[in-house]
Amino acid sequence: MTVTGIITAIVVGLIVGALGRLVVPGRQNIALWLTMLIGVVAALLGTALARAAGIGTDGFSLLELVIQVALAAVGVALVAGTYGRRRAVR
């Protein structure tokens, strides 16, 4: 992966993290930086899954973006649930 590819993945990941947070219903009690980190991981993982399935091999793919946002939403929901429970115990 080139430097440009990594920078692009980070920028797309920040957007994907924000979209993933918007998709999850209710209030998420997690930090913004954590949401963005989840988005970057979801973007990288979504790209890998899409490429493994033969989707979005060249340029922009809407289906690849949907996979990335879905992964980000799942990640945000899991972290918000775990973080919320952990904070409630204190």
Side-chain angles (χ1 to χ4, degrees):
M1 187 173 242
T2 64
V3 174
T4 306
I6 293 171
I7 292 171
T8 303
I10 291 171
V11 170
V12 169
L14 296 176
I15 296 167
V16 166
L19 290 173
R21 189 171 181 154
L22 288 174
V23 170
V24 177
R27 182 166 186 216
Q28 296 84 37
N29 193 19
I30 60 174
L32 184 61
W33 67 267
L34 188 54
T35 301
M36 297 302 132
L37 179 66
I38 292 168
V40 171
V41 171
L44 294 172
L45 185 60
T47 298
L49 289 174
R51 299 243 169 138
I55 302 167
T57 55
D58 291 330
F60 176 77
S61 171
L62 185 60
L63 189 54
E64 181 179 352
L65 181 64
V66 169
I67 292 169
Q68 292 170 338
V69 171
L71 288 172
V74 168
V76 166
L78 288 173
V79 171
T82 303
Y83 187 71
R85 276 187 244 133
R86 186 175 54 143
R87 289 192 44 123
V89 172
R90 290 185 189 188

